[in-house]
Amino acid sequence: MIKRLCGAALLISLSAIQSRAQLSVEISGQLNKDKKTPVKLFKVVEGKPMEIAASTPEEKGRFGFLFYPEYEGFYLVGTGTNLSPSDSYKFYFKAGDKLSLSISDSSYVLNGKLNSRENVVMTQWHDMVNELEQKSYMKKRSTFVDFFPQLEELNIKSRTFLAGKTTGNAKFDRLMKDNMAWDIAGYATNFLNTPRTAHPTLEQYSPYYATVKIQDFAKNTAGVYRQPWGSRVLGGVVGLTSRMQNTKRVGGMEGLKNTLDFVPNDTLKGDFVLESAGRLKSFVEYQDMMAMYGKYVLTNNQQQKSRDQLAPLASLKPGDPAFAFSYPDKNGKTVTMADLKGKVVLIDVWATWCGPCKAEIPHLKKLEQEMKGTDVQIVSISVDEAKDKEKWQKMIKDENLGGLQVFATGWGDIAKYYKITGIPRFMVFDRNGKIVTIDSPRPSEPELKALLEKTLAAK
């Protein structure tokens, strides 16, 4: 829903489906830049900013937003992007808040008296750090000679900054202390990672750097995920830790291993794995990385991201590598695709509730007998839900099902990877674990046996 405020500034409601009883956040602003680029509103998703709205300023520069906040916490407003902290400013919003500001080329100021106490404190902090921030993000020229003394001064001032600044919001007061530590670490590490006319040796590093401990920033996932640049700053802290310990800088799997050794939190390790995997251009390299470090890809969001990253690398054509599944069999022993190398593999994706799947069982048994003594391995992968696992085990026993019977626990990775929307699905793979077809004839069709025999005979 789009409305207008003061006849010009766009107001965008982002959650019209929410209860009308919930109070909205209202932002009104003035963009004082020669170039009237859109002003954007970002929320924070797992330590990264996500744009949720944009307002094109009117001729005189006025803009605005009206939205129902998904959470109480940090948001960004500004003309920047989701890739760089430059030109976007951090604010704290809760239901019912109002924010009025004017944005210039290098900073912003609050307007009026209706701004929340939290954002008054946020702005006081911003005013204190702004020059250092601009130097860190290369909006002002700087070398370590002038940056380091200013960094030390800010670090000292931060210890007393909150004295007498309680806002009445206990949650914000707690988070603000952490927020200052994240900001300072972000400026300090970004400075080291950007090109300068002069770079310090380790011996010349400011004393502040020795106080940055990775466990203070990676002690819990929530602390990283609530910060708009949490993932970026944590990466900077990992890099700093590596420098301070004189760890050899290498790329690839070895470099990722070195990074993961520094991170004490498995979920955050998974984020680093996915960041590295996202830069890979080879399907095989991706699978190799996941075979080694996929155990850290734990959350549903991480697993979905992994599938999204992998999909473009996999054209699923004949000759491409098979999906590297890893599932328990009926006795709880893990079966992987790699275990089956040297065999021609027929995969049957099925479920106990699927009538057409059960109709193929007699034909599958017959095919298994006909292929006995050859290098054909039949693998039946159940996509039954976890609650039906006992039903699956009972059916294996009652129907005397052969082959390898494994349990995927619902429509998981293999179904998503091969875009399986209906079952049964039969797929054939050669002795080297390469795709022959991901949609083969069914056992009730004689063409499947012919295909298996042809694949067995291939060199």
Side-chain angles (χ1 to χ4, degrees):
M1 180 175 64
I2 299 177
K3 301 180 181 178
R4 292 188 176 271
L5 179 67
C6 300
L10 284 175
L11 289 177
I12 303 176
S13 170
L14 303 175
S15 303
I17 61 172
Q18 295 190 37
S19 168
R20 293 299 177 185
Q22 182 184 346
L23 296 174
S24 62
V25 169
E26 183 178 318
I27 302 171
S28 59
Q30 179 76 31
L31 183 64
N32 296 323
K33 293 186 176 185
D34 291 336
K35 187 176 181 181
K36 295 299 187 288
T37 56
V39 179
K40 302 168 186 176
L41 174 64
F42 300 85
K43 66 179 180 180
V44 183
V45 178
E46 296 184 351
K48 296 179 181 179
M50 175 184 288
E51 183 181 330
I52 52 176
S55 176
T56 301
E58 52 131 51
E59 184 178 351
K60 293 183 179 180
R62 289 187 298 174
F63 66 89
F65 300 95
L66 180 70
F67 74 104
Y68 297 91
E70 296 179 26
Y71 58 87
E72 177 180 335
F74 298 121
Y75 293 78
L76 295 173
V77 178
T79 57
T81 71
N82 62 346
L83 299 177
S84 171
S86 181
D87 294 320
S88 290
Y89 304 107
K90 191 187 310 184
F91 297 99
Y92 187 95
F93 292 135
K94 62 185 185 301
D97 279 349
K98 296 181 184 297
L99 176 71
S100 180
L101 75 163
S102 295
I103 298 176
S104 64
D105 285 320
S106 61
S107 187
Y108 75 89
V109 294
L110 295 182
N111 301 324
K113 298 182 179 180
L114 296 179
N115 295 291
S116 68
R117 292 181 179 179
E118 295 91 338
N119 284 328
V120 168
V121 172
M122 293 283 290
T123 301
Q124 291 170 344
W125 172 249
H126 165 78
D127 291 344
M128 180 181 290
V129 306
N130 187 41
E131 184 176 359
L132 192 73
E133 179 179 333
Q134 289 189 60
K135 289 181 176 180
S136 174
Y137 297 128
M138 302 181 68
K139 296 189 73 175
K140 280 189 174 182
R141 291 185 179 181
S142 176
T143 69
F144 70 93
V145 176
D146 62 277
F147 185 87
F148 284 173
Q150 204 169 351
L151 174 65
E152 291 300 323
E153 182 182 1
L154 175 61
N155 191 40
I156 292 170
K157 287 183 177 180
S158 70
R159 298 168 191 167
T160 57
F161 172 78
L162 290 176
K165 290 186 173 65
T166 54
T167 63
N169 183 340
K171 179 180 179 180
F172 170 81
D173 293 340
R174 289 192 303 270
L175 291 180
M176 187 60 195
K177 184 176 180 181
D178 288 340
N179 179 63
M180 293 190 299
W182 278 90
D183 281 354
I184 297 173
Y187 307 147
T189 55
N190 190 76
F191 180 86
L192 296 178
N193 293 330
T194 45
R196 309 284 166 176
T197 57
H199 291 277
T201 63
L202 277 176
E203 291 73 22
Q204 292 173 311
Y205 275 23
S206 181
Y208 165 79
Y209 289 101
T211 70
V212 179
K213 306 298 181 186
I214 195 167
Q215 57 267 28
D216 294 335
F217 294 88
K219 57 188 174 185
N220 63 71
T221 305
V224 179
Y225 281 5
R226 71 169 62 100
Q227 287 289 329
W229 305 105
S231 294
R232 180 189 177 108
V233 175
L234 182 59
V237 172
V238 169
L240 172 64
T241 305
S242 177
R243 281 193 183 97
M244 299 292 280
Q245 296 186 15
N246 282 308
T247 304
K248 181 182 177 182
R249 299 188 69 178
V250 293
M253 297 277 273
E254 184 181 353
L256 178 57
K257 179 184 183 303
N258 291 342
T259 295
L260 298 182
D261 285 344
F262 291 124
V263 181
N265 177 310
D266 281 356
T267 301
L268 297 175
K269 285 179 191 281
D271 289 342
F272 279 100
V273 170
L274 290 172
E275 183 179 353
S276 294
R279 295 191 289 267
L280 298 176
K281 303 299 183 184
S282 162
F283 179 90
V284 174
E285 287 179 331
Y286 198 101
Q287 283 204 311
D288 288 345
M289 183 171 286
M290 286 301 150
M292 184 72 69
Y293 299 117
K295 61 185 177 182
Y296 297 121
V297 179
L298 299 170
T299 70
N300 290 336
N301 285 349
Q302 287 176 331
Q303 291 170 3
Q304 182 60 53
K305 183 175 181 180
S306 179
R307 288 191 291 269
D308 291 343
Q309 289 178 340
L310 184 57
L313 302 179
S315 58
L316 304 181
K317 65 181 184 297
D320 284 344
F323 176 69
F325 68 80
S326 177
Y327 299 127
D329 68 9
K330 61 184 179 181
N331 299 313
K333 180 182 177 182
T334 299
V335 175
T336 71
M337 188 67 192
D339 296 335
L340 305 175
K341 190 170 184 179
K343 300 283 189 180
V344 170
V345 178
L346 171 64
I347 287 181
D348 165 25
V349 182
W350 73 295
T352 58
W353 47 262
C354 169
C357 300
K358 290 187 280 189
E360 289 295 326
I361 289 176
H363 304 286
L364 186 60
K365 286 182 176 180
K366 180 175 183 290
L367 180 64
E368 185 179 20
Q369 287 299 314
E370 291 173 345
M371 293 289 106
K372 193 172 182 179
T374 70
D375 283 332
V376 170
Q377 177 62 65
I378 298 173
V379 183
S380 294
I381 300 179
S382 167
V383 293
D384 283 289
E385 298 295 338
K387 63 182 179 62
D388 293 323
K389 190 170 186 178
E390 289 185 6
K391 180 181 177 183
W392 167 72
Q393 290 173 323
K394 183 175 186 298
M395 189 168 178
I396 292 172
K397 184 178 180 180
D398 291 349
E399 296 289 337
N400 192 28
L401 300 182
L404 285 173
Q405 298 288 334
V406 300
F407 197 78
T409 312
W411 292 79
D413 290 348
I414 195 165
K416 290 181 174 67
Y417 182 82
Y418 289 117
K419 300 178 176 61
I420 299 172
T421 57
I423 51 176
R425 169 73 75 83
F426 293 88
M427 300 181 283
V428 176
F429 303 87
D430 69 19
R431 298 176 189 272
N432 295 310
K434 307 291 186 181
I435 294 173
V436 175
T437 175
I438 59 168
D439 192 9
S440 77
R442 296 183 179 186
S444 55
E445 300 170 297
E447 291 85 356
L448 177 56
K449 181 181 178 183
L451 177 61
L452 293 174
E453 290 173 338
K454 180 181 177 181
T455 307
L456 281 169
K459 298 297 184 182

